[in-house]
């Protein structure tokens, strides 16, 4: 094993989603040289550019009567004691400037005939706020042009496998290039913008590269994780199309939910004092699952029916609508019907099948107000960073966070870089940790990587999704431990086609174990998870759980 070559940049940004792009723009505006790298092509990675969504919805203060303090208070309330107040304040205060800055890049947020932004009350929110930009292709093109204007160097097909630290300061990264050759990127500062880890789950509304790389990279150099147990799940369509967002606003029309036996399932999970219409009316107010209101029975019914083996052949539970939905003249309903029609889905005549999908991690790497991670030279922004959101996250706040904290990370990392010199760490030192982590004399059966990945995803889906318990956590931890005993990434290094995937999978396995451990510590129901053995929120557990390797 040897390093093929080296390259240099003042600021290295890892991840080409919304936060990474914004960080690159802002870092370049300081005059710093910027290298933006990612596994997938620009604008085709992460949750921000997931192809199953019609566009971006972003929080901003654009309506009369709204205010930064309103937004801040709603973040804190939805966060159920888990949001960092300082970061929430920054998000509320800076989101509107970030919103208008996107408009200056050429991204068009829809307006009505009167010139007002088309808005909805966001998930877990209380007021009209922000706007929507339709068309992922248009958003991608606008950001691409802005990066070209800023002369940012962009390389995709890059898998970073470890950060390099010298005398306590981050000074670059070891990566596999477009052809899976090992190379070193020397940098004066590094920004992690790698997104969440939704690919840990069988069902996810994110691209496959969002698998927790950034979390493990940060842990390995001494950073901490926070709020990692708070993972948003949202119903996604699995038939007649797959992995497409389900837009929940229509649920107040009370569609029928049935399993493979044709049985109406929601009624089986509702207590006597909650009706189907009451549950669905509440569920229509937010996309993600939450235990904060009576809507949670809807998602629990979906998940538990699937887990019991009562799903249809698609793997999902069926949803079918009354013909009256077609004459519902609300803008949100008509735009949803248009979206469904564009995919060839008829909600009335045929219906569709749903499964709860992992959609967003509300926690991540612990950062401060300057997006510093506590490790000099390392910054984090976007979904990989924890703190701006709490247990539940307001709709549109994720995009806002990519732009607000991406901008801060870009500026702060560039300013840090301007005060640093390049540090050249020898090839031997760079490779030392990889060599140390080699098999140490052990031998491993070389199972297909796809088979191992499926085992990890199925374990997390069954043991670490929306319905949890100590027994499920223990079961999952035992299964992940068995996988770890029979896997090491370097056993695949000789096969150039499997190098990248083996390191990504190693990160997935490690993070899966960490998540299940943290989930077992959160012995209550709070926000986006339901503990069947602890079904209520416990005020004595109103503290963030920090994890450090």
């Amino acid at each position: 094993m040897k390093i093929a070559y080296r390259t240099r940049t003042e600021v290295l940004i890892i991840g080409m989603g919304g936060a990474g792009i914004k960080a690159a723009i802002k870092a370049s505006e300081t005059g710093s040289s910027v290298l933006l790298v990612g596994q997938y092509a620009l604008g085709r990675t992460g949750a921000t550019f997931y192809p199953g969504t019609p566009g971006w919805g972003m929080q901003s203060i654009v309506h009369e009567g709204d205010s930064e303090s309103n937004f801040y208070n709603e973040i804190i309330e939805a966060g159920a004691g888990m949001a960092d107040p300082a970061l929430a304040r920054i998000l509320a205060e800076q989101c509107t400037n970030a919103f208008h800055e996107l408009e200056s890049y050429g991204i068009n947020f829809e307006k009505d005939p009167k010139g007002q932004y088309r808005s909805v009350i966001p998930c877990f929110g209380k007021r009209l706020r922000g706007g929507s930009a339709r068309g992922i292709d248009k958003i991608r093109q606008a950001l691409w042009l802005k990066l070209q204007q800023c002369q940012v160097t962009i390389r995709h097909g890059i898998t970073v496998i470890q950060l390099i630290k010298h005398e306590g300061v981050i000074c670059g990264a070891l990566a596999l290039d477009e052809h899976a050759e090992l190379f070193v990127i020397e940098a004066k500062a590094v920004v992690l913008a790698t997104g969440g880890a939704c690919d840990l789950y069988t069902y996810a509304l994110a691209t496959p590269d969002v698998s927790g790389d950034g979390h493990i990279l940060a842990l390995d150099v001494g950073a901490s994780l926070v709020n990692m147990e708070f993972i948003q799940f949202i119903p996604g369509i699995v038939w007649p199309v797959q992995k497409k967002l389900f837009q929940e606003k229509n649920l107040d029309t009370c569609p029928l939910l049935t399993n493979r036996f044709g049985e109406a399932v929601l009624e089986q999970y509702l207590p006597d004092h909650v009706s189907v219409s009451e549950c669905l009316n509440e569920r229509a107010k937010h996309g993600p699952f939450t235990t904060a209101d009576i809507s949670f029975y809807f998602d629990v019914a979906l998940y538990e029916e699937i887990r019991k083996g009562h799903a249809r052949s698609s793997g999902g539970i069926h949803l079918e609508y009354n013909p009256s939905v077609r004459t519902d003249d609300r803008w949100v309903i008509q735009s949803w019907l248009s979206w469904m029609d564009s995919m060839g889905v008829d909600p009335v005549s045929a219906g569709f099948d749903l499964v709860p999908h992992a959609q967003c991690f509300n926690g991540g790497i612990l950062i401060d107000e300057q997006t510093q991670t506590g490790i000099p030279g390392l910054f984090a922004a976007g979904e990989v960073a924890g703190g701006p959101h709490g247990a539940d996250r307001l709709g549109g706040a994720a995009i806002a966070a990519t732009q607000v904290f991406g901008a801060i990370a870009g500026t702060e990392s560039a300013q840090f870089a301007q005060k640093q010199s390049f540090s050249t760490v020898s090839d031997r030192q760079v490779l030392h940790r990889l060599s140390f982590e080699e098999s140490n004399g052990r031998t491993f059966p070389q199972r297909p990587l796809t088979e191992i990945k499926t085992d990890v995803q199925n374990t997390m889906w069954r043991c670490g999704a929306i319905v949890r318990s100590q027994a499920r956590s223990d079961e999952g931890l035992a299964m992940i431990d068995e996988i770890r005993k029979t896997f090491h990434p370097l056993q695949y290094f000789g096969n150039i086609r499997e190098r990248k995937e083996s390191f990504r999978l190693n990160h997935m396995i490690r993070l899966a174990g960490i998540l299940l451990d943290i989930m077992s510590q959160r012995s209550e129901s709070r926000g986006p998870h339901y503990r069947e053995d602890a079904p209520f929120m416990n005020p004595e557990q109103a503290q963030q759980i920090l994890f450090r390797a």
Side-chain angles (χ1 to χ4, degrees), residues 87 367-373 378-381 405-406 408-410 412:
L87 298 179
I367 61 169
D368 64 12
E369 294 92 323
Q370 287 75 46
T371 70
Q372 298 174 117
T373 64
L378 182 63
F379 303 79
F405 295 102
I408 294 171
E412 292 289 336

Side-chain angles (χ1 to χ4, degrees), residues 158-410:
I158 307 297
T159 298
V160 176
I161 59 177
Q162 74 176 37
L163 299 177
I164 302 171
K165 187 165 68 170
H166 180 63
E167 296 181 350
V169 181
I170 299 301
C171 59
L174 177 65
L176 293 165
D177 72 4
E178 296 88 340
H179 300 284
E181 295 289 349
L182 273 175
F183 77 113
V184 167
I185 306 169
E186 297 178 358
K188 297 179 180 180
V190 174
V191 178
L192 289 173
T194 51
C198 288
D199 197 46
L200 281 171
Y201 291 89
T202 308
Y203 298 99
L205 293 172
T207 51
D209 58 319
V210 183
S211 54
D213 286 336
H215 303 86
I216 298 300
L217 292 173
L219 281 175
D220 283 348
V221 293
S224 300
L225 304 180
V226 65
N227 285 346
M228 288 296 290
E229 70 272 32
F230 300 121
I231 304 165
Q232 283 192 176
F233 283 79
I234 191 167
I237 302 172
V238 293
W239 178 88
V241 293
Q242 291 187 327
K243 298 185 70 170
K244 299 294 183 181
L245 269 176
F246 169 72
Q247 298 179 29
E248 73 289 339
K249 301 297 182 185
N250 58 75
L251 283 175
D252 61 5
T253 65
C254 295
L256 180 63
L257 192 67
T258 56
N259 62 20
R260 69 185 179 96
F261 306 113
E263 301 168 337
V265 301
L266 183 53
E267 292 88 338
Q268 299 177 32
Y269 292 84
L270 292 175
D272 292 340
H273 66 277
V274 178
S275 69
V276 169
S277 61
E278 288 171 332
C279 176
L280 292 179
N281 278 322
E282 200 66 37
R283 191 64 186 81
K285 297 177 182 178
H286 47 80
F289 166 72
T290 183
T291 57
D293 57 49
I294 60 172
S295 72
F296 82 94
Y297 295 107
F298 175 83
D299 302 78
V300 169
L302 275 177
Y303 179 73
E304 289 297 294
E305 284 294 296
I306 295 167
R307 205 173 184 277
K308 290 175 182 177
H310 297 174
R312 285 159 53 99
S313 60
S314 65
I317 302 299
H318 194 60
L319 201 62
E320 198 163 310
Y321 289 74
N322 187 286
S324 61
V325 72
R326 289 176 172 153
T327 58
D328 190 321
D329 60 2
R330 288 177 292 171
W331 171 73
V332 292
I333 300 297
Q334 290 304 310
S335 63
W336 169 69
L337 289 171
S338 176
W339 163 243
M340 299 295 274
D341 183 64
S342 71
M343 297 186 293
V345 180
D346 185 341
V348 175
S349 300
F352 50 88
D353 296 350
L354 289 178
V355 173
H357 285 59
Q359 189 246 350
C360 184
F361 273 60
N362 289 347
I365 302 166
L366 184 67
I367 61 169
D368 64 12
E369 294 92 323
Q370 287 75 46
T371 70
Q372 298 174 117
T373 64
I375 309 302
L378 182 63
F379 303 79
E383 193 179 341
V384 77
H389 320 296
D392 285 321
R393 173 187 60 78
L394 269 67
I399 293 292
T402 67
Q403 299 307 295
V404 169
F405 295 102
I408 294 171

Side-chain angles (χ1 to χ4, degrees), residues 8-259:
R8 270 188 175 183
T9 184
E10 289 175 312
V11 179
L12 169 63
I13 298 170
I14 306 169
M16 297 203 291
I21 291 171
K22 190 57 175 262
I25 291 169
K26 288 300 181 180
S28 70
E29 289 176 351
T30 70
S32 297
S33 61
V34 180
L35 174 59
L36 177 62
V37 304
Q39 296 180 43
Y40 284 17
L42 182 96
R44 299 185 184 277
T45 177
T48 46
F49 292 103
Y50 182 65
T53 181
W56 282 10
M58 179 174 170
Q59 293 278 277
S60 58
I61 314 303
V62 293
H63 291 289
E64 186 176 351
D66 198 9
S67 67
E68 294 169 358
S69 61
N70 286 341
F71 185 19
Y72 169 79
N73 290 334
E74 289 175 26
I75 295 172
I76 296 299
E77 183 177 343
M82 297 296 113
D84 182 310
L87 298 179
R89 180 75 67 185
I90 290 170
L91 179 58
E93 291 177 349
Q94 298 186 23
C95 66
T96 306
N97 285 340
F99 179 89
H100 293 309
E101 195 160 36
L102 285 176
E103 291 183 308
S104 75
Y105 299 167
I107 294 174
N108 178 38
F109 288 93
E110 293 182 341
K111 295 182 179 180
D112 64 22
K114 295 181 180 180
Q116 298 295 311
Y117 288 101
R118 288 192 183 275
S119 304
V120 296
I121 298 175
C123 305
F124 310 118
K126 297 180 178 179
R127 298 166 180 83
L128 288 175
R129 186 175 298 121
S132 298
R134 298 266 169 176
I136 289 294
D137 288 343
K138 295 177 182 178
I139 296 169
R140 183 186 299 117
Q141 183 70 12
L143 294 174
W144 166 260
L145 289 174
K146 182 64 179 178
L147 288 167
Q148 298 310 303
Q149 293 164 8
C150 293
Q151 298 184 333
V152 172
T153 301
I154 301 168
R155 289 179 67 176
H156 71 268
I158 307 297
T159 298
V160 176
I161 59 177
Q162 74 176 37
L163 299 177
I164 302 171
K165 187 165 68 170
H166 180 63
E167 296 181 350
V169 181
I170 299 301
C171 59
L174 177 65
L176 293 165
D177 72 4
E178 296 88 340
H179 300 284
E181 295 289 349
L182 273 175
F183 77 113
V184 167
I185 306 169
E186 297 178 358
K188 297 179 180 180
V190 174
V191 178
L192 289 173
T194 51
C198 288
D199 197 46
L200 281 171
Y201 291 89
T202 308
Y203 298 99
L205 293 172
T207 51
D209 58 319
V210 183
S211 54
D213 286 336
H215 303 86
I216 298 300
L217 292 173
L219 281 175
D220 283 348
V221 293
S224 300
L225 304 180
V226 65
N227 285 346
M228 288 296 290
E229 70 272 32
F230 300 121
I231 304 165
Q232 283 192 176
F233 283 79
I234 191 167
I237 302 172
V238 293
W239 178 88
V241 293
Q242 291 187 327
K243 298 185 70 170
K244 299 294 183 181
L245 269 176
F246 169 72
Q247 298 179 29
E248 73 289 339
K249 301 297 182 185
N250 58 75
L251 283 175
D252 61 5
T253 65
C254 295
L256 180 63
L257 192 67
T258 56
N259 62 20

